[in-house]
């Protein structure tokens, strides 16, 4: 497949939306794109070439596509463009708090990310830009580096107007700003966005504590960033949504699953509570004990596929997230393609060894 | 239970919060005993029997320690310690590794049998196995016949950031035994010490195996595979002496069946994270070396690399991964032997041939050469040190 037909295929996907391509039609188009991306990266990224040479070369289906362990982006600088073309470097904060992943973008990949994100999000929150309350502090955007956090906020800010920031710099609730926002946009459609844990702790719990009741009857809340900390506090998605409704009257809550290593092609939660693969991306589940593909309904490691990245070899990644594909083409919300649930993350591996003395830091 | 144990009680863990706690340790001012004193030897025998008790039989590391402590084995270990003109060095402080749970006991016992007083610094969080082990040790130490030993062998914990305690404890030492990674060892070595304090440092090392495929017959495979498994399985391949690399010399006829046999010995279900970790190591290796093939079994991941490229052992994370380097002659090993290579286990190759190779001046690494299956068997000669020598002083009499 040529670059031209890759672009042509992308155009088709932009046109498609969630309702016109069933899984088999979609995977035919995507597979063509992925075969192209495989050849593209193998020719431009020696590291990708060496790794993919260890895997199957007969790319008959998704499951034959080479995949990189997502952690490789924390350990190595992987790119398929000359340094001079690096337009932006994304870093993931990473919940582990250790070495961040570094993702190298050229102008094209960066533009494609934005375009895809817009295409996907509009199908959940509409084309109109709404007044937007960001559940974060305005200063988090000032951090010089492109962390996943401020990239996420910047990406989402596009979908709103008259942005207001609900938190102080120390992450405490800025009730004044929130009240002003409520006052101004009462009973009108508004958009709220934040990272899942911050929405829960710094916004919803803080409002509850201060016994503040908001009424965003026409509001939509979009949130992302992982459930790890909420699971620890036994907060399920149902409890989350129920509490959000009680405190803010918002009924439309969309979680989305995405990562710095594949910015743009996000997996958004539908009205029925399931995450959906957008036209531009897909997923397969692999058995953590064999890394072999699993069937729908079985729970294992999530491998994410995205048509976006041409500047770095990240179109096919084995994540450390655990999930289940629940079905394809038959979600009650009407969207076609695969829908799934993320169950959590792989536990952290415990490192044992001589090379780890009794926690000595005699400095 | 041990962790909440009482400060300043006999035979338990002392928690050190300040300088005073250090100076009040019962071991301070205790005099040493003789080399190979009878109380120490009696203690090791009782401890051996205690650890070989049925209740520990599932803990292979504890059983191995129990066997090592048997009278007959210790007698072998310490034959070189000449009584008569050899004396203990005084107070030895042991800095234990966090996670190779039984390791510190070996060096502590060497020191104890040489008649020294000992302070054993434990990690602030202990593994289940360490808790087991300490309980067993305290059970034995609390017997009335070991009253004196209980006063001169003290287990302590302190906060890793407590400089005052770290400094004053270190300054008590006539000798220090340091287990840990390079960084930890170096940070301990920066603590103040007495001018003549001796340091015995066991820092980052790794180990490898050498298998001569030309000498391997179908009948040998099972026995060698069992030995190999014994070296690999305890401590999840994280012990410095467990092999991470296999040098396969010559004929590869039995290559596959050997690793299949090793893999079949793993009976428990592997960790859910194992295959992903192995994948990361495979892919990281593919970035720097030419990987010829990856054979992924139930538990093992066997990655065959091209011998033309250097190996970066730092990216080897264990996880039951073996890097196999095919070589055609023994001298091909030379370029891989660096100072960090500790143990070379071997099968199918004559000892004399190996010794001849090791004696070459260009060979800077390898402190132990033992048959496959014995990688984890502790000897008082470790990492190139003779512990009984290091932990005693010899009086020259003319």
């Amino acid at each position: 497949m040529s670059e031209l037909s890759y672009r042509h295929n992308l155009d088709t996907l932009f046109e498609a939306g969630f309702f016109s391509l069933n899984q088999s039609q979609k995977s035919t188009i995507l597979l063509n794109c992925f075969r192209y991306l495989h050849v593209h990266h193998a020719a431009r990224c020696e590291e990708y070439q060496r790794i993919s040479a260890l895997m199957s070369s007969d790319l008959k289906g998704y499951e034959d596509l080479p995949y990189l362990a997502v952690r490789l982006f924390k350990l190595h600088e992987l790119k398929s463009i000359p340094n001079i073309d690096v337009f932006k470097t994304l870093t993931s904060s990473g919940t582990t708090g250790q070495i961040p992943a570094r993702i190298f973008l050229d102008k094209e990949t960066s533009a494609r990310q934005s375009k895809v994100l817009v295409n996907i999000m509009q199908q959940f929150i509409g084309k109109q830009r709404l007044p937007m309350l960001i559940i974060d502090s305005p200063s988090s955007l000032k951090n010089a580096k492109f962390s996943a956090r401020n990239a996420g906020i910047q990406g989402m800010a596009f979908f709103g107007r008259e942005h207001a920031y609900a938190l102080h710099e120390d992450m405490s609730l800025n009730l004044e700003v929130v009240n002003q926002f409520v006052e101004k946009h009462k009973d009108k459609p508004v958009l709220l966005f934040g990272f899942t844990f911050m929405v829960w702790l710094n916004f919803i719990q803080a409002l509850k504590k201060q016994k503040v009741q908001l009424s965003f009857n026409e509001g939509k809340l979009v949130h992302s960033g992982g459930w790890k900390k909420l699971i620890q506090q036994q907060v399920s998605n149902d409890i989350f949504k129920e509490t959000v409704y009680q405190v803010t009257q918002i009924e439309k809550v969309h979680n989305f699953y995405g990562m710095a290593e594949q910015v743009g092609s996000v997996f958004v939660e539908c009205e029925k509570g399931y995450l959906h693969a957008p036209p531009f991306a897909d997923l397969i589940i692999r058995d953590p004990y064999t890394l072999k593909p699993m069937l729908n309904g079985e729970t294992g490691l999530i491998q994410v596929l995205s048509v976006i990245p041409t500047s770095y070899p990240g179109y096919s990644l084995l994540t450390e997230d655990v999930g289940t594909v629940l079905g394809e083409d038959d979600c009650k919300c009407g969207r076609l393609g695969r829908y799934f649930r993320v169950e959590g993350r792989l536990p952290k591996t415990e490192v044992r060894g001589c090379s780890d003395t009794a926690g000595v830091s005699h400095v | 239970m041990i962790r909440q144990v009482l400060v300043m009680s006999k035979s338990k863990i002392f928690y050190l919060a300040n300088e005073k706690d250090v100076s009040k340790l019962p071991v301070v001012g205790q005099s040493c005993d003789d080399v190979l004193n009878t109380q120490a030897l009696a203690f090791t025998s009782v401890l051996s029997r205690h650890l070989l008790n049925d209740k520990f039989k599932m803990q292979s590391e504890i059983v191995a320690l129990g066997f090592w402590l048997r009278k007959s084995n210790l007698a072998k270990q310490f034959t070189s310690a000449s009584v008569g003109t050899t004396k203990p060095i005084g107070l030895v402080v042991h800095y234990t590794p966090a996670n190779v749970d039984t390791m510190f006991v070996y060096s502590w016992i060497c020191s104890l049998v040489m008649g020294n007083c000992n302070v054993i610094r434990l990690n602030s969080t202990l593994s289940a196995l360490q808790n087991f082990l300490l309980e067993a040790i305290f059970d034995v130490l609390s017997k009335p016949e070991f009253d004196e030993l209980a006063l001169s062998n003290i287990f302590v914990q302190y906060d890793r950031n407590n400089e005052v305690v770290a400094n004053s404890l270190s300054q008590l030492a006539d000798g220090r035994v340091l287990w840990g990674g390079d960084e930890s060892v170096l940070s301990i070595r920066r603590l103040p010490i007495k001018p003549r304090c001796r340091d015995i440092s066991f820092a980052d090392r790794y180990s490898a195996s050498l298998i001569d495929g030309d000498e391997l017959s179908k009948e040998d495979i099972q026995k060698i595979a069992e030995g190999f498994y014994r070296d690999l399985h305890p401590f999840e391949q994280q012990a410095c002496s467990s092999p991470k690399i296999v040098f396969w010399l010559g004929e590869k006829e039995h290559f596959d069946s050997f690793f299949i046999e090793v893999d079949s010995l793993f009976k428990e279900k592997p960790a859910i994270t194992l295959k992903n970790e192995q994948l990361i190591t495979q892919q990281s290796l593919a970035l720097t070396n030419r990987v010829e093939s990856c054979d992924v079994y139930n538990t093992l991941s066997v990655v065959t690399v091209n011998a033309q490229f250097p190996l970066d052992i730092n990216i080897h994370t264990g996880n039951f991964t073996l890097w196999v380097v095919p070589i055609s002659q023994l001298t091909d090993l030379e370029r891989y032997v660096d100072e960090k290579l500790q143990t070379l286990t071997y099968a199918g190759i004559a000892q004399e041939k190996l010794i001849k190779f090791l004696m070459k001046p260009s060979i800077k690494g390898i402190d132990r050469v033992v048959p496959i299956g014995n990688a984890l068997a502790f000897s008082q000669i470790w990492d190139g040190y003779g512990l009984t020598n290091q932990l005693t002083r010899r009086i020259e009499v003319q």
Side-chain angles (χ1 to χ4, degrees):
Chain A
M1 189 171 122
S2 66
E3 189 182 342
L4 196 71
S5 53
Y6 164 68
R7 286 170 196 271
H8 178 74
N9 273 316
L10 287 189
D11 289 341
T12 311
L13 297 172
F14 277 110
E15 292 297 315
F18 277 91
F19 299 97
S20 69
L21 294 175
N22 66 26
Q23 183 63 29
S24 128
Q25 294 162 324
K26 171 184 165 181
S27 57
T28 307
I29 298 174
L30 289 195
L31 194 58
N32 277 326
C33 293
F34 297 141
R35 287 192 189 116
Y36 165 76
L37 289 171
H38 166 67
V39 175
H40 167 93
H41 292 296
R44 286 166 183 80
C45 177
E46 198 194 332
E47 292 91 344
Y48 175 80
Q49 195 278 326
R50 284 159 174 261
I51 290 170
S52 60
L54 301 175
M55 300 172 137
S56 157
S57 55
D58 186 14
L59 310 182
K60 277 192 270 191
Y62 283 172
E63 56 283 358
D64 304 317
L65 294 165
Y67 49 88
L68 303 193
V70 75
R71 209 188 302 159
L72 276 196
F73 290 90
K74 296 189 177 182
L75 305 172
H76 304 279
E77 292 193 351
L78 302 171
K79 47 172 128 47
S80 307
I81 46 170
N83 286 335
I84 192 166
D85 289 344
V86 175
F87 165 66
K88 208 188 294 190
T89 305
L90 274 177
T91 57
S92 73
S93 50
T95 42
T96 41
Q98 289 172 351
I99 324 158
R102 283 151 301 167
I103 308 299
F104 301 94
L105 306 177
D106 60 1
K107 282 192 174 148
E108 276 177 60
T109 300
S110 176
R112 209 177 292 125
Q113 287 181 341
S114 313
K115 215 177 143 193
V116 166
L117 184 66
V118 168
N119 184 290
I120 297 168
M121 290 315 294
Q122 281 183 342
Q123 300 183 52
F124 289 90
I125 55 183
K127 284 198 173 166
Q128 210 191 357
R129 292 190 184 193
L130 303 173
M132 184 170 181
L133 183 64
I134 295 168
I135 316 300
D136 207 321
S137 82
S139 62
S140 67
L141 277 178
K142 285 185 207 135
N143 292 333
K145 277 213 177 142
F146 265 92
S147 71
R149 182 162 151 206
N150 68 33
I153 294 172
Q154 286 199 350
M156 285 302 299
F158 179 85
F159 298 96
R161 58 183 164 89
E162 296 172 70
H163 305 94
Y165 291 84
L167 304 183
H168 287 118
E169 207 158 318
D170 65 356
M171 294 294 116
S172 63
L173 184 65
N174 189 338
L175 203 53
E176 204 181 324
V177 166
V178 174
N179 281 332
Q180 279 168 7
F181 187 87
V182 173
E183 204 54 39
K184 203 166 164 194
H185 307 292
K186 223 176 191 170
D187 299 327
K188 280 186 272 184
V190 292
L191 176 63
L192 277 72
F193 171 72
F195 292 98
T196 309
F197 185 67
M198 282 158 61
V199 169
W200 178 255
L201 190 77
N202 306 96
F203 188 62
I204 298 297
Q205 293 304 318
L207 287 168
K208 245 178 118 173
K209 218 180 200 170
Q210 300 185 34
K211 299 201 164 63
V212 181
Q213 171 72 49
L214 304 175
S215 55
F216 291 127
N217 300 310
E218 295 291 309
K220 287 171 183 168
L221 168 65
V222 174
H223 67 102
S224 183
W227 288 91
K228 200 172 148 194
K229 287 181 186 163
L230 291 187
I231 290 169
Q232 283 164 7
Q233 301 188 4
Q234 319 252 318
V235 180
S236 66
N237 195 14
D238 286 341
I239 296 176
F240 183 91
K241 286 203 265 196
E242 180 60 38
T243 317
V244 167
Y245 179 71
Q246 283 167 10
V247 178
T248 67
Q249 299 289 300
I250 295 177
E251 271 183 274
K252 291 177 179 154
V253 177
H254 297 285
N255 177 32
F256 71 82
Y257 171 67
M259 60 203 75
E261 292 83 354
Q262 273 187 4
V263 165
S265 50
V266 290
F267 300 84
V268 185
E269 177 189 349
C270 71
E271 300 73 18
K272 302 292 169 193
Y274 301 117
L275 296 166
H276 279 263
F280 313 90
D282 224 326
L283 76 157
I284 36 184
I285 303 294
R286 289 188 181 270
D287 184 337
Y289 295 102
T290 61
L291 302 189
K292 294 213 167 80
M294 295 175 99
L295 301 172
N296 289 353
E298 294 181 324
T299 302
L301 290 178
I302 299 174
Q303 178 186 345
V304 287
L305 303 165
S306 167
V307 297
I308 297 176
T310 50
S311 63
Y312 66 96
Y315 73 94
S316 170
L317 301 172
L318 186 66
T319 72
E320 297 179 14
D321 298 316
V322 175
T324 316
V325 171
L326 300 163
E328 39 193 64
D329 300 333
D330 60 356
C331 182
K332 299 240 163 41
C333 77
R335 290 178 184 82
L336 299 176
R338 289 185 180 161
Y339 58 101
F340 66 107
R341 192 168 54 213
V342 178
E343 322 274 357
R345 285 176 70 83
L346 269 187
K348 256 173 108 182
T349 38
E350 194 193 338
V351 181
R352 292 159 45 112
C354 309
S355 50
D356 185 13
T357 306
V360 192
S361 82
H362 296 110
V363 260
Chain B
M1 296 312 99
I2 293 170
R3 259 160 67 197
Q4 311 142 331
V5 182
L6 343 173
V7 182
M8 301 281 157
S9 86
K10 198 172 77 176
S11 334
K12 297 279 170 167
I13 299 175
F14 290 74
Y15 184 79
L16 308 177
N18 53 44
E19 238 172 330
K20 232 185 191 169
D21 290 346
V22 178
S23 62
K24 275 168 50 189
L25 284 173
V27 71
V28 175
Q30 285 284 319
S31 52
C32 296
D33 210 323
D34 299 334
V35 169
L36 299 176
N37 66 80
T38 43
Q39 195 178 143
L41 292 173
F43 170 75
T44 53
S45 292
V46 178
L47 185 60
S48 167
R49 277 199 296 278
H50 203 73
L51 296 180
L52 291 174
N53 184 303
D54 266 359
K55 74 175 168 179
F56 296 119
K57 74 166 181 249
M58 299 308 288
Q59 313 276 353
S60 60
E61 294 96 333
I62 289 191
V63 174
L65 177 61
F67 273 105
W68 187 82
L69 285 167
R70 286 188 311 179
K71 213 180 226 161
S72 55
N73 179 58
L74 288 191
K76 253 192 292 173
Q77 293 287 331
F78 297 125
T79 43
S80 65
S82 43
V83 186
T85 53
T86 309
K87 300 192 76 176
I89 56 172
L91 177 69
V92 179
V93 179
H94 303 258
Y95 297 85
T96 65
N99 289 315
V100 175
D101 319 81
T102 57
M103 212 58 198
F104 72 92
V105 182
Y106 291 96
S107 48
W108 165 50
I109 294 292
C110 287
S111 182
L112 171 103
V113 173
M114 291 302 110
N116 293 296
C117 296
N118 298 287
V119 175
I120 298 97
R121 192 262 158 127
L122 300 167
N123 193 2
S124 44
T125 48
L126 299 169
S127 69
L129 192 65
Q130 283 174 326
N131 269 322
F132 252 150
L133 192 57
L134 286 165
E135 234 167 303
I137 290 169
F138 293 145
D139 277 352
V140 178
L141 267 183
S142 62
K143 291 180 193 295
E145 63 264 41
F146 300 125
D147 267 1
E148 277 171 48
L149 280 183
L151 288 174
S152 55
N153 290 276
I154 299 295
F155 292 79
V156 304
Q157 287 177 324
Y158 57 83
D159 184 83
R160 57 157 97 180
N161 298 315
N162 192 333
E163 247 176 272
V164 175
V165 167
N167 287 347
S168 48
L169 183 63
S170 172
Q171 276 170 307
L172 288 180
D174 298 300
R176 302 188 299 176
V177 177
L178 296 80
W179 291 100
D182 290 354
E183 253 177 70
S184 319
V185 166
L186 285 174
S187 73
I188 300 170
R189 293 192 73 166
R190 280 194 287 270
L191 297 175
I193 46 171
K194 289 182 184 174
R196 297 189 69 241
C197 174
R198 298 178 189 180
D199 275 357
I200 303 156
S201 306
F202 300 107
D204 282 338
R205 306 299 296 272
Y206 71 95
S207 296
S209 286
L210 172 65
I211 295 174
D212 188 344
D214 293 336
E215 299 297 321
L216 217 56
S217 71
K218 223 172 153 187
E219 295 70 46
D220 304 331
I221 288 177
Q222 195 187 346
K223 205 174 140 239
I224 299 171
E226 278 167 11
F228 195 85
Y229 170 83
R230 267 205 307 282
D231 293 345
L232 197 64
H233 180 255
F235 313 113
E236 290 160 31
Q237 203 190 7
Q238 293 298 312
C240 307
S241 316
S242 290
K244 288 184 165 169
I245 302 176
V246 176
F247 298 102
W248 191 281
L249 182 62
E251 186 55 54
K252 288 183 88 176
E253 189 194 338
H254 299 297
F255 184 92
D256 290 339
S257 40
F258 174 73
F259 289 109
I260 291 170
E261 185 66 36
V262 175
D263 188 68
S264 73
L265 296 168
F266 286 84
K267 297 297 178 219
E268 65 277 74
K269 193 174 183 184
I272 191 168
T273 50
L274 185 72
K275 289 296 149 191
N276 185 54
E277 295 298 328
Q278 291 179 345
L279 178 77
I280 292 164
T281 309
Q282 281 161 23
Q283 297 194 333
S284 289
L285 185 63
L287 298 183
T288 54
N289 196 295
R290 197 188 306 147
V291 172
E292 302 291 351
S293 63
C294 289
D295 299 305
V296 180
Y297 302 99
N298 268 342
T299 301
L300 287 186
S301 159
V302 179
V303 185
T304 307
V305 298
N306 187 305
Q308 302 302 310
F309 293 84
L311 288 172
D312 176 8
I313 196 68
N314 294 316
I315 64 170
H316 196 307
T317 56
N319 289 304
F320 300 128
T321 289
L322 294 162
W323 292 350
V324 180
V325 184
I327 55 175
S328 48
Q329 53 206 0
L330 191 53
T331 47
D332 292 344
L333 251 187
E334 203 170 321
R335 71 160 81 187
Y336 291 100
V337 180
D338 57 22
E339 288 166 35
K340 295 213 171 225
L341 181 53
Q342 181 207 52
T343 300
L344 186 70
T345 56
Y346 64 95
I349 193 158
Q351 223 182 50
E352 312 84 73
K353 240 172 134 182
L354 274 175
I355 294 172
K356 205 173 144 207
F357 168 72
L358 287 176
M359 285 302 125
K360 291 172 89 171
S362 55
I363 302 290
K364 293 207 176 97
I366 306 186
D367 292 329
R368 294 175 71 222
V369 181
V370 296
I372 284 179
N374 293 345
L376 300 178
F378 189 83
S379 133
Q380 67 91 8
I381 300 174
W382 196 256
D383 271 15
Y385 290 110
L387 271 177
T388 52
N389 257 327
Q390 295 288 324
L391 293 167
T392 52
R393 61 189 175 88
R394 189 165 278 185
I395 302 167
E396 198 204 25
V397 184
Q398 287 190 350

